[in-house]
């Protein structure tokens, strides 16, 4: 008997939830806002689906309905990727320790 | 063109890099490196996708153009946005993830061959279910986040919007989504797909409108979680490990944050979601008819008290964010420190409009993060402190939460501000806080109210010290 590949993906999914659970509990509360913005950025990895959709159209007519939605999704996800990572970086730059030489 | 197996390995690598990105946030020192891991993971995922599709036609150029357009908009926003606008920015970003998930699901539905899911009209059952879930959750995330964004931005009133039978309506709509998915799977008919998406947009709006402004920390975290589950749903459709791992991470991260926020308010998740709390509809019970005496003071009195203290704890709240008083506050603290006064900050988990809101604002004003303490770490120190300076916070300091079982906020963990020798309370009026509960602290012997705009008052105090 063969195992459905879905089960493998489902296993990855469940294990990743556990990893997420332990990793997120170890995030210090003062960094909860950057946590939200960075999770925002990484969930935009959905762009891979958008790229596949956009490139799938035939060469003559790239503006089929499925490619159009792909292109739109690329724009949305790209806003999030650049915006999310950069704003996180901007926030994290601000967290400074007490200056010792005082 | 690289093989499917090789690309699967690379997607796994980028999933792991995303885990490391979150891991980095366990301390501010490692966080910046963590963010770089996240960026690297994203670059790998995108590059591998291009190589896997391997069809470098004219479409590729368009993909790059759209990528750059989106990227430029994103970068522009990221550099321009003021830190006080962070809650609405995050809500806005969530809406984009949600909408992107919907769009990808639509593309997959219209052109399943591109994703190896079958042909139009005969899409594999499992894929159809997965993309429906991804699209529905994505649509709810989108419209819900838009409402949250409008409320946070002040375009829409923060008070809850309720109507009779609301929960029944929501329940019926929720059930109809499942029915539509069922019909979609049995008939493969396009009209069911579109109606399911439309109804999901509607339920997203209905879910968020009854939730009031100060419950926004829970809402934002919850939408964060939803955007993750939407991504995971799409990940299953596309059979993409990076997307599945990321969706699971983001989903559980948002869920944990919602839990922490609910605990900070001592409310159950369901009571927040069902909404209607706070704002005009909540009856502020036992309105104190007899006006109790309140001691109020001006900047000079406050400066005098602060100057003669040896230790001060600052308690910031949403009011500080509204008045943008964080820089003035830092200036005041610097002056106090020059006079050898020990100053620390106490941050309640639900202070502000999103998790960690106060910490970001204080960091922006160059407050070192090791002077900022969480509720549990600092609560015992109030008893040995001379002055508590409450700026823009209210409910989170109300002693009623510990003493009056009748109060709506009873049991909520609060900062023991009243144990300080004296309390300075910067507030514009005596109005009750968000929960509609009168703050007993206002009428205490050792409390001095400073009725003014938080920023102006803080600046005046600096002048007087």
């Amino acid at each position: 008997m063969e195992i459905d590949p879905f089960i493998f993906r489902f296993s990855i999914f469940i294990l990743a939830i556990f990893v997420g659970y332990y990793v997120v509990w170890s995030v210090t509360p003062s960094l909860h806002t950057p946590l939200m913005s960075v999770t925002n950025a990484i969930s935009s990895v959905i762009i891979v689906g958008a790229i596949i959709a956009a490139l799938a159209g035939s060469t003559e007519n790239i503006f089929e309905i499925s490619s159009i939605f792909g292109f739109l999704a690329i724009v949305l996800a790209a806003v999030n990727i650049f915006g999310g990572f950069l704003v996180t970086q901007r926030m994290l730059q601000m967290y400074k320790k007490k200056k010792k030489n005082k | 063109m690289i093989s499917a197996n090789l690309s699967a390995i690379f997607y796994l690598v980028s999933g792991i890099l995303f885990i490391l990105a979150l891991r980095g946030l366990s301390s501010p020192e490692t966080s910046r490196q963590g963010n770089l891991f996240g960026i690297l993971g994203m670059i790998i995922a995108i590059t591998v996708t291009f190589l896997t599709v391997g069809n470098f036609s004219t479409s590729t150029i368009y993909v790059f153009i759209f990528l750059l357009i989106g990227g430029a908009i994103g970068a522009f926003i990221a550099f321009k946005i003021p830190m006080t606008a962070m809650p609405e920015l995050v809500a806005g970003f969530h809406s984009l993830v949600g909408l992107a998930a919907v769009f990808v699901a639509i593309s997959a539905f219209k052109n399943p061959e591109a994703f190896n899911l079958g042909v139009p009209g005969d899409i594999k059952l499992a894929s159809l279910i997965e993309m429906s879930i991804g699209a529905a959750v994505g649509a709810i995330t989108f419209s819900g986040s838009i409402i949250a964004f409008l409320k946070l931005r002040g375009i829409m009133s923060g008070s809850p919007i309720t109507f009779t039978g609301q929960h029944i309506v929501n329940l019926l709509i929720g059930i109809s989504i499942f029915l539509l998915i069922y019909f979609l799977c049995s008939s493969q008919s396009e009209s069911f797909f579109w109606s399911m998406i439309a109804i999901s947009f509607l339920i997203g709006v209905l879910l968020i409108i009854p939730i009031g402004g100060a419950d926004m920390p829970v809402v934002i975290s919850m939408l964060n979680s939803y955007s993750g589950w939407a991504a995971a749903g799409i990940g299953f459709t596309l059979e993409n490990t990076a997307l599945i791992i990321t969706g699971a991470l983001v989903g559980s991260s948002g869920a944990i944050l919602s839990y922490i926020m609910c605990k900070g308010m001592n409310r159950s998740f369901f009571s927040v979601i069902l909404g209607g709390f706070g704002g005009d509809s909540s009856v502020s019970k036992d309105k104190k008819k007899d006006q109790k005496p309140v001691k109020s003071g001006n900047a000079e009195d406050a400066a005098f008290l602060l100057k003669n203290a040896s230790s001060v704890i600052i308690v910031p709240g949403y009011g500080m964010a509204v008045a943008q008083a964080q820089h003035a506050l830092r200036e005041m603290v610097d002056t106090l420190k020059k006079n050898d006064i020990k100053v620390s900050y106490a941050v309640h988990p639900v202070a502000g409009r999103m998790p960690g809101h106060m910490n970001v604002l204080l960091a922006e004003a160059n407050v070192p993060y090791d002077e900022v303490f969480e509720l549990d770490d600092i609560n015992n120190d109030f008893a040995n402190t001379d002055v508590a300076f409450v700026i823009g916070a209210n409910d989170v300091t109300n002693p009623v939460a510990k003493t009056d079982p009748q109060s709506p906020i009873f049991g909520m963990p609060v900062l023991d501000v009243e144990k300080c020798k004296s309390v300075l309370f910067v507030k514009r009026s005596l109005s009750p806080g968000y929960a509609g509960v009168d703050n007993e602290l206002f009428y205490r012997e050792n409390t001095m109210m400073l009725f003014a705009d938080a920023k102006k008052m803080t600046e005046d105090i600096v002048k007087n010290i």
Side-chain angles (χ1 to χ4, degrees), chain B residues 62-83:
Chain B
Y62 284 103
V63 169
F64 272 112
I65 292 173
F66 283 103
L67 195 67
L68 288 179
I69 292 174
I73 299 172
F76 180 77
I77 298 173
F79 285 117
K80 286 286 168 206
I81 192 94
M83 283 299 145

Side-chain angles (χ1 to χ4, degrees), chain B residues 158-298:
Chain B
S159 54
I161 299 169
T162 49
F163 53 87
T164 39
Q166 192 164 26
H167 301 322
I168 305 288
V169 171
N170 287 352
L171 186 67
L172 289 178
I173 296 178
I175 293 171
S176 70
I177 292 178
F178 284 103
L179 285 178
L180 284 169
I181 294 181
Y182 175 79
F183 289 134
L184 170 68
C185 293
S186 53
S187 73
Q188 302 260 350
S189 151
E190 217 182 302
S191 52
F192 287 122
F193 185 70
W194 293 113
S195 16
M196 180 209 57
I197 291 179
I199 287 190
S200 303
F201 279 129
L202 178 68
I203 187 89
V205 173
L206 290 174
L207 276 177
I208 306 301
I209 54 169
I211 304 178
D215 280 340
M216 279 301 147
V218 182
V219 171
I220 295 202
S221 322
M222 185 183 81
L223 291 166
N224 185 237
S225 181
Y226 284 1
S227 69
W229 304 131
I234 301 295
F236 276 105
T237 320
L238 307 183
E239 310 185 344
N240 183 305
T241 334
L243 207 39
I244 294 176
I245 294 179
T246 315
L249 287 179
V250 177
S252 53
S253 156
I256 290 173
L257 288 177
S258 314
Y259 170 80
I260 296 175
M261 294 300 114
C262 286
K263 211 169 138 239
M265 295 192 282
N266 190 39
R267 303 195 36 214
S268 80
F269 184 67
F270 287 102
S271 85
V272 174
I273 295 311
L274 294 178
F277 188 78
D280 308 328
S281 72
S282 88
V283 200
S284 46
K285 2 174 169 179
D286 63 294
K287 273 215 158 53
K288 307 272 190 286
K289 277 164 215 133
D290 45 331
Q291 278 291 322
K292 283 190 259 171
V294 173
K295 208 161 71 179
S296 78
N298 57 23

Side-chain angles (χ1 to χ4, degrees), chain A residues 46-56 62 64-77, chain B residues 63 66-67 100 102-108 115:
Chain A
I46 201 159
I47 199 168
V48 301
I51 293 173
I52 297 173
L55 290 180
I62 55 162
E64 291 168 32
I65 182 139
S66 85
S67 314
I68 290 175
F69 277 110
F71 283 122
L72 289 177
I74 288 177
V75 176
L76 296 178
Chain B
V63 169
F66 283 103
L67 195 67
V102 175
F103 286 172
V104 173
I106 293 175
S107 313
F115 299 91

Side-chain angles (χ1 to χ4, degrees), chain B residues 175-456:
Chain B
I175 293 171
S176 70
I177 292 178
F178 284 103
L179 285 178
L180 284 169
I181 294 181
Y182 175 79
F183 289 134
L184 170 68
C185 293
S186 53
S187 73
Q188 302 260 350
S189 151
E190 217 182 302
S191 52
F192 287 122
F193 185 70
W194 293 113
S195 16
M196 180 209 57
I197 291 179
I199 287 190
S200 303
F201 279 129
L202 178 68
I203 187 89
V205 173
L206 290 174
L207 276 177
I208 306 301
I209 54 169
I211 304 178
D215 280 340
M216 279 301 147
V218 182
V219 171
I220 295 202
S221 322
M222 185 183 81
L223 291 166
N224 185 237
S225 181
Y226 284 1
S227 69
W229 304 131
I234 301 295
F236 276 105
T237 320
L238 307 183
E239 310 185 344
N240 183 305
T241 334
L243 207 39
I244 294 176
I245 294 179
T246 315
L249 287 179
V250 177
S252 53
S253 156
I256 290 173
L257 288 177
S258 314
Y259 170 80
I260 296 175
M261 294 300 114
C262 286
K263 211 169 138 239
M265 295 192 282
N266 190 39
R267 303 195 36 214
S268 80
F269 184 67
F270 287 102
S271 85
V272 174
I273 295 311
L274 294 178
F277 188 78
D280 308 328
S281 72
S282 88
V283 200
S284 46
K285 2 174 169 179
D286 63 294
K287 273 215 158 53
K288 307 272 190 286
K289 277 164 215 133
D290 45 331
Q291 278 291 322
K292 283 190 259 171
V294 173
K295 208 161 71 179
S296 78
N298 57 23
E300 270 172 58
D301 306 330
F304 180 78
L305 257 175
L306 287 169
K307 212 162 39 178
N308 291 302
S310 62
S311 53
V312 175
I313 296 182
I314 315 269
V315 181
Y318 182 56
M320 180 188 82
V322 175
Q324 308 243 17
Q326 66 271 29
H327 298 282
L329 183 67
R330 219 283 316 264
E331 223 177 291
M332 186 186 96
V333 170
D334 283 352
T335 324
L336 292 176
K337 278 193 195 150
K338 264 181 224 144
N339 293 321
D340 282 328
I341 300 168
K342 186 176 164 277
V343 187
S344 35
Y345 299 80
V347 174
H348 191 277
V350 295
R353 285 290 186 264
M354 74 183 296
H357 193 182
M358 291 300 121
N359 303 79
V360 172
L361 292 183
L362 292 175
E364 190 203 7
N366 281 322
V367 172
Y369 62 82
D370 38 9
E371 285 175 15
V372 185
F373 296 92
E374 303 299 319
L375 176 82
D376 293 334
D377 298 329
I378 202 167
N379 228 1
N380 292 328
D381 296 353
F382 281 107
N384 317 318
T385 301
D386 295 326
V387 179
F389 188 78
V390 183
I391 175 166
N394 187 357
D395 288 338
V396 297
T397 62
N398 197 340
V400 162
K402 289 176 289 192
T403 52
D404 179 10
Q406 302 299 320
S407 168
I409 59 168
F410 181 71
M412 170 168 138
V414 287
L415 292 157
D416 296 334
V417 172
E418 79 279 3
K419 289 189 182 150
C420 283
K421 287 204 191 82
S422 42
V423 179
L424 289 169
F425 217 111
V426 186
K427 204 169 176 307
R428 263 182 292 202
S429 69
L430 268 185
S431 62
Y434 168 71
V437 189
D438 211 14
N439 195 338
E440 195 194 297
L441 209 54
F442 298 164
Y443 311 106
R444 295 238 171 166
E445 268 295 283
N446 59 349
T447 305
M448 186 194 282
M449 300 297 296
L450 305 167
F451 294 113
D453 173 75
K455 188 175 175 191
K456 198 173 168 300

